[in-house]
Amino acid sequence: MKKEKLTKNQQTVLSLLEQSKEPLKAYTILSGTQKKGIKAPTQVYRALDKLIEIGKVHKIESKNSYVACNISNCNAMTSTSFLICEKCEKVTELEKDNLKSFFGTLSKSVNFEYSDHNLEIFGCCNACR
Amino acid sequence: MKKEKLTKNQQTVLSLLEQSKEPLKAYTILSGTQKKGIKAPTQVYRALDKLIEIGKVHKIESKNSYVACNISNCNAMTSTSFLICEKCEKVTELEKDNLKSFFGTLSKSVNFEYSDHNLEIFGCCNACR
DNA sequence: AGTAACACTGTTATAATATAACAATTTTTA
DNA sequence: TAAAAATTGTTATATTATAACAGTGTTACT
C-alpha cells in the first residue's frame, strides 16, 4: 500500500510547481500542463490531493494556491507555516519544529486540544526591501 | 469618512452571523437573509467586505466561511488567530495583540518584515472532550 | 501466474465560491 | 446645496472545486 513512486500526472503537476517561484492556482497548473496531457480540472485536483497527502505540496489557503514543499522529508502535511511576501508573492515555509510545539502549548493554555494548524504570515521579504 | 452606523444589508448579514454558533458560508448567509430582502450573492459579499474591513467579521480562509467577531473593539481586521474545533465547528478567536508581537519577532529573525497574519489552529475544544 | 483489491485515468457535467459591470439612489462632506 | 462617496439592486459571468462513471493499470497475495 505504501507507494513511493509518483504517477505520471502527479509528476507532471509536482514538476510544474517545483519550477515555479510562486504558488500556482489550480487552473494555472491546468494551463501549464496541457501539453503534457492533462486536460481537465479533475486531473489537476486529483494529483494535488495526492501530493498534499504525502506532503510534497501544500495549499496556501488564503490564496487558493499550491506550492511544492522544498523541505526534505517534510511531515507537515496538515500543519504548515508560511511567510508570504506581498510584493513578489514568494512563499517561504518555516521549518524549525514548524511551531507545532508552540501552538500545542498555546492551545493547552486555553483548554483546547491542538492537532494541526495553518499559519500564513504576510509582509515583505528581504529581497523586496 | 468614519461611519459608525451599518447599513441595512450590513446589519442583516452581521446579525445572522452573530446569531450563529459556527462560521457561515456566503451562500448560507444568502439563504438566511432572503426574507430580509437580500437577493443576490453580490449583496452578501459586499456586506461581508465592509464588515471585514471594519473588523466586525473575519473570514476563516481554510473553510471559506465567515464569523462575527465578538471581541469588543477588535482591531484585527487583517490579522486573526482562531481555534477551530473539528468536532463541533465552533470557532474561538484569540485576543488580538498577543500573537502579533510574537509573529513580528519571529519574522524579524528570518529577515522578513511582518505586517499581518492568519492563524488557524485545528483540534478539539473543551466542550467536545 | 491468477486474481481480487485498489489506485489511477480520462471524460463530461455540475456544484460552490466569488466578482464584474451598470444604472440608480442615498448619504456624507464641504 | 452641490459635489463626492458609498450603497443599492440587478443580471451576467468568472473562478475554484467536486461528482459520477466506465475503463485501465498496479499491487499484493495465494
Side-chain angles (χ1 to χ4, degrees):
Chain A
M1 188 223 142
K2 267 291 164 240
K3 218 198 154 189
E4 297 303 330
K5 230 168 126 238
L6 299 176
T7 66
K8 186 160 166 297
N9 286 354
Q10 289 159 9
Q11 278 169 336
T12 302
V13 168
L14 179 57
S15 155
L16 185 73
L17 282 172
E18 284 174 340
Q19 285 159 35
S20 170
K21 289 197 165 49
E22 323 98 44
L24 298 179
K25 300 192 159 238
Y27 279 70
T28 306
I29 295 173
L30 178 56
S31 306
T33 54
Q34 279 182 328
K35 55 187 150 198
K36 299 267 182 159
I38 290 185
K39 291 181 179 156
T42 316
Q43 295 174 289
V44 172
Y45 284 107
R46 281 199 288 228
L48 287 173
D49 284 349
K50 189 51 151 189
L51 292 166
I52 289 170
E53 186 188 326
I54 64 179
K56 292 288 190 187
V57 165
H58 304 305
K59 180 173 185 183
I60 311 289
E61 294 287 355
S62 66
K63 306 221 179 272
N64 297 316
S65 295
Y66 303 85
V67 281
C69 176
N70 56 6
I71 297 179
S72 67
N73 233 336
C74 179
N75 62 354
M77 290 78 172
T78 49
S79 289
T80 49
S81 306
F82 299 105
L83 297 168
I84 302 171
C85 177
E86 292 175 311
K87 288 234 177 73
C88 70
E89 301 295 323
K90 182 159 165 286
V91 165
T92 309
E93 185 173 353
L94 290 179
E95 303 207 26
K96 310 205 171 191
D97 156 25
N98 192 16
L99 300 178
K100 257 181 154 320
S101 62
F102 175 77
F103 291 133
T105 305
L106 173 66
S107 298
K108 188 173 280 181
S109 80
V110 292
N111 232 331
F112 186 90
E113 186 179 279
Y114 168 88
S115 62
D116 292 299
H117 75 267
N118 170 48
L119 170 63
E120 301 167 5
I121 294 180
F122 307 98
C124 188
C125 76
N126 194 29
C128 285
R129 297 208 307 283
Chain B
M1 185 220 141
K2 268 288 165 246
K3 216 198 156 190
E4 298 304 330
K5 226 165 129 245
L6 300 176
T7 67
K8 186 161 164 297
N9 286 353
Q10 290 160 7
Q11 278 170 335
T12 301
V13 169
L14 179 57
S15 154
L16 185 72
L17 283 172
E18 283 174 340
Q19 285 159 32
S20 171
K21 290 199 166 49
E22 322 97 44
L24 298 179
K25 300 191 160 243
Y27 280 70
T28 305
I29 295 172
L30 178 56
S31 307
T33 54
Q34 281 184 327
K35 54 188 151 195
K36 298 267 183 161
I38 290 185
K39 291 182 181 158
T42 316
Q43 296 174 289
V44 172
Y45 283 108
R46 281 200 289 230
L48 286 173
D49 285 348
K50 190 49 149 191
L51 291 166
I52 288 170
E53 186 189 326
I54 64 177
K56 291 288 191 186
V57 166
H58 305 306
K59 180 174 185 182
I60 311 288
E61 294 287 355
S62 66
K63 305 219 178 276
N64 297 317
S65 295
Y66 304 85
V67 280
C69 176
N70 56 7
I71 297 179
S72 66
N73 235 335
C74 179
N75 62 353
M77 290 77 173
T78 49
S79 289
T80 49
S81 305
F82 299 104
L83 298 168
I84 303 171
C85 177
E86 292 174 312
K87 288 234 177 74
C88 70
E89 302 294 323
K90 183 160 164 285
V91 165
T92 309
E93 185 173 354
L94 293 177
E95 294 285 335
K96 45 196 168 184
D97 251 6
N98 44 21
L99 294 180
K100 250 182 147 357
S101 61
F102 174 77
F103 291 134
T105 304
L106 173 67
S107 298
K108 189 174 278 180
S109 80
V110 292
N111 233 331
F112 186 89
E113 186 180 279
Y114 168 88
S115 63
D116 292 299
H117 75 267
N118 171 47
L119 170 63
E120 299 167 5
I121 294 179
F122 306 98
C124 188
C125 76
N126 194 30
C128 286
R129 297 206 307 284

